[in-house]
Amino acid sequence: MADSLVKIYQKNKLGNSEKLELLRNLSFNEVNNLELSLKYADELIALSKLEKNYLYLHRGYYQKGNKNRLAGDLNNALNAFFRSGEAAIKAKFITGEGVAYMAIADVYSTMRNSDNAEIYYAKSINLLRKTNDSISLASALLNAGDEYSKNKKYNLALKYFEESSIIFDKVDYLIGTAYNLGNIGMVYAKQGNNDLAKVYISKAIQILEKLKDYYAISEYLIYMSDIYLTQNDWITSLSYAKRSLDLAQKYGLKEQISNSNLKISQLYQKAGNHRESFTYYKNYITYRDSVTNLKSVQQMADIRTNYEVSQKQVEVDLLEKDSEIQKLKEKKQQNIIYATAISLFLIVIITIGFYRRYKFVKKTNSIIEEEKNRSNNLLLNILPEETALELKKNGKVQAKKFESVTVLFTDFEGFTHYAEKLPPEKLVESIDYYFSKFDTIMEKYNLEKIKTVGDAYMCAGGLPFPTGDHAYKMTLAALEIARFVNISEELITQNQSHFKIRIGINTGPLVAGVVGIKKFSYDIWGDTVNIASRMESNSEPGKINISEYTYQIIKNDFECEYRGEIEVKNKGMMKMYFVNNPIAQ
């Protein structure tokens, strides 16, 4: 298909609208050369922008995202899929928007960000149910089921696979049927039903081999390897893992190359062949890092390179000094005794001068370094490290949107009453006693303190670096804060005041950035923040009140008490829950 389309492309006789469709088909059908496929996608994007054709702009970015994902470039893939969704919205193309959200969820799933993956699968399915595109709807159900399977929600996964399978069979969509068979087989494998798992996965591989879908075949071969390993058939298990690696290497599938190398390494380790195990494990690390492309790895490399360059420069400087001294010695030998004496005298004077200058420079550099460290520490106390580095580098900080963040507010019951009776210094001392402990708890769970206003304490999880467990960690932190405040009522000294605390938590999207140019501060905005504040104001002393959004994320990890729907200012009726204790694992 791709070869025949190239001939039409090379003739270059099509109008712009026809060429848009040709480029889309070229990018889609070119499966053996990812670099060439990306070239067609970029040309499609450029021409769509020129024509202001948002439908094909959506399709161009979608193809670019797919090819980047296959190449293991997940950051560029995610960026392309978001742009694809934006273009679909401008084109008023609901199906395209739903498909783009499904692709975004797929990338988040690969990144192991389950929270974001489930959010975007839900968005995709809700949109696609409004369309007549049954294949896209079935695909979204299939991928969402796969994500639930990864998270051990097997019943929910099988429910989604069942609905997806009915739709694929109805429209006779063979590749969808293959994926369903394979994914159902993987669920059975995870549940320990290996015989049934082998039947389903083998059927899936047979279909996919005819369709030449090597990405999925490589993944299913790894599961077949796992199944035979549980049956103590090491040789067959290794053969499946090596088949998976051969396919992934042949077609440049970096993520699958990484996974296959890891599986082979584990098999050799189990067999006691540590040399072979280590070789494949090194390959796994290499491809894993090329897929994740972590900024911290690059930053560490830059730091190391700069250090080595500075050390080389020191060596060059010392060699230059030695050369100068040698020349002085040679010249000194040619001079008469009086000239030698004068030279020695001058050298002594110069040496004393250099020594004094050296001491002065060393002392000055020490002062500068000390002040620099103090400045950096102060900046890091005000801003997150990533934000502080951006501010130092650019002089400003670009506001960023985060798709999923958990926000916590606390407030002391009856604080105003205490404030009227206590001297200011005693009041500040009491507040500092509590907030210092809160800071320690935030640091323990790697959460970000945002600010304090009077007796209110505000923090967030999931920024500046997105994480998948921020709601879980924030709830643990809230329980620890509540316990500390309760215990403090018994341990508080006579010189301090004790308070009861209300806590509120909410999860959702928001925007974060730095405000001001003097006395700047890191802050967050959005409806998520407002709802978190409402959760606190509607809480009770000693209680942790959470929203429906947070409850859906943590309900399997904590015992929660449903409070019903409560009127919230400017929001209407909202469901609320009290968090009691973690569920014993």
Side-chain angles (χ1 to χ4, degrees), residues 218-230:
S218 181
E219 183 176 4
Y220 291 145
L221 287 171
I222 290 294
Y223 267 88
M224 290 293 284
S225 175
D226 285 331
I227 292 170
Y228 279 102
L229 183 61
T230 61

Side-chain angles (χ1 to χ4, degrees), residues 113 115 406 445 447 461-462 466-475 553:
N113 189 333
D115 289 344
T406 299
Y445 291 101
L447 302 170
T467 60
D469 59 354
H470 50 81
Y472 176 75
K473 286 185 175 179
M474 186 63 79
T475 309
I553 299 173

Side-chain angles (χ1 to χ4, degrees), residues 4-26 43-44 47 51 56:
S4 62
L5 291 172
V6 168
K7 294 177 181 178
I8 301 172
Y9 174 77
Q10 290 172 341
K11 291 179 181 179
N12 197 25
K13 293 183 179 180
L14 298 177
N16 284 347
S17 59
E18 295 171 321
K19 191 172 183 179
L20 289 170
E21 180 62 20
L22 175 64
L23 288 167
R24 182 176 79 92
N25 280 293
L26 277 167
E43 190 174 347
L44 174 57
L47 185 58
E51 294 288 310
Y56 277 94

Side-chain angles (χ1 to χ4, degrees), residues 146-398:
D146 187 42
E147 184 64 23
Y148 287 126
S149 173
K150 290 178 183 177
N151 297 328
K152 300 181 180 180
K153 302 175 183 178
Y154 300 128
N155 291 335
L156 193 56
L158 289 172
K159 177 184 176 183
Y160 273 64
F161 291 151
E162 181 181 355
E163 183 179 357
S164 174
S165 180
I166 292 171
I167 298 173
F168 281 137
D169 290 343
K170 187 176 181 180
V171 298
D172 195 25
Y173 191 63
L174 201 57
I175 194 168
T177 300
Y179 285 158
N180 253 319
L181 288 169
N183 285 6
I184 291 171
M186 288 194 295
V187 171
Y188 284 136
K190 291 173 182 177
Q191 290 178 325
N193 193 338
N194 292 328
D195 293 336
L196 201 54
K198 283 195 289 186
V199 172
Y200 275 91
I201 295 176
S202 296
K203 287 181 180 178
I205 292 174
Q206 289 173 6
I207 298 172
L208 291 168
E209 284 176 338
K210 295 177 182 178
L211 299 174
K212 298 181 179 181
D213 189 343
Y214 303 111
Y215 185 93
I217 294 172
S218 181
E219 183 176 4
Y220 291 145
L221 287 171
I222 290 294
Y223 267 88
M224 290 293 284
S225 175
D226 285 331
I227 292 170
Y228 279 102
L229 183 61
T230 61
Q231 296 176 337
N232 295 319
D233 189 346
W234 186 87
I235 295 175
T236 306
S237 176
L238 182 63
S239 69
Y240 272 104
K242 286 191 172 181
R243 278 179 62 192
S244 174
L245 179 59
D246 291 342
L247 273 180
Q249 288 177 329
K250 183 177 180 180
Y251 296 101
L253 309 174
K254 287 187 178 180
E255 182 188 354
Q256 295 302 89
I257 293 174
S258 175
N259 293 339
S260 300
N261 272 296
L262 177 61
K263 178 51 63 180
I264 295 172
S265 171
Q266 291 170 343
L267 288 170
Y268 275 120
Q269 184 182 35
K270 192 173 184 68
N273 190 339
H274 299 296
R275 181 184 294 274
E276 286 294 321
S277 176
F278 182 65
T279 299
Y280 282 99
Y281 189 77
K282 285 196 297 183
N283 294 337
Y284 157 68
I285 293 297
T286 299
Y287 281 96
R288 182 199 66 182
D289 290 347
S290 70
V291 170
T292 55
N293 192 24
L294 297 176
K295 286 186 177 180
S296 58
V297 175
Q298 184 58 49
Q299 289 169 352
M300 289 301 293
D302 291 343
I303 291 169
R304 180 177 178 181
T305 300
N306 292 338
Y307 172 75
E308 291 175 350
V309 168
S310 68
Q311 293 302 301
K312 291 296 182 184
Q313 185 61 46
V314 169
E315 293 175 8
V316 170
D317 291 343
L318 289 173
L319 288 172
E320 289 176 352
K321 290 292 183 183
D322 288 342
S323 177
E324 290 176 6
I325 293 170
Q326 186 61 36
K327 288 178 180 179
L328 285 172
K329 286 181 179 180
E330 291 174 358
K331 185 177 181 180
K332 180 179 63 177
Q333 291 172 357
Q334 298 173 1
N335 291 333
I336 60 174
I337 296 175
Y338 294 110
T340 302
I342 293 171
S343 297
L344 288 172
F345 177 75
L346 290 174
I347 289 172
V348 171
I349 297 298
I350 292 169
T351 302
I352 292 172
F354 272 119
Y355 177 71
R356 288 180 176 177
R357 177 173 176 79
Y358 165 76
K359 289 185 67 177
F360 173 76
V361 171
K362 184 178 180 181
K363 183 177 181 181
T364 303
N365 287 341
S366 177
I367 294 171
I368 292 172
E369 187 66 24
E370 184 179 344
E371 291 301 320
K372 182 180 178 181
N373 290 336
R374 185 183 300 174
S375 173
N376 287 337
N377 289 334
L378 287 172
L379 192 60
L380 290 175
N381 280 335
I382 298 171
L383 305 175
E385 182 175 0
E386 180 196 35
T387 306
L389 291 174
E390 183 179 350
L391 181 64
K392 287 166 63 179
K393 180 179 179 181
N394 304 325
K396 61 180 180 180
V397 176
Q398 186 73 32

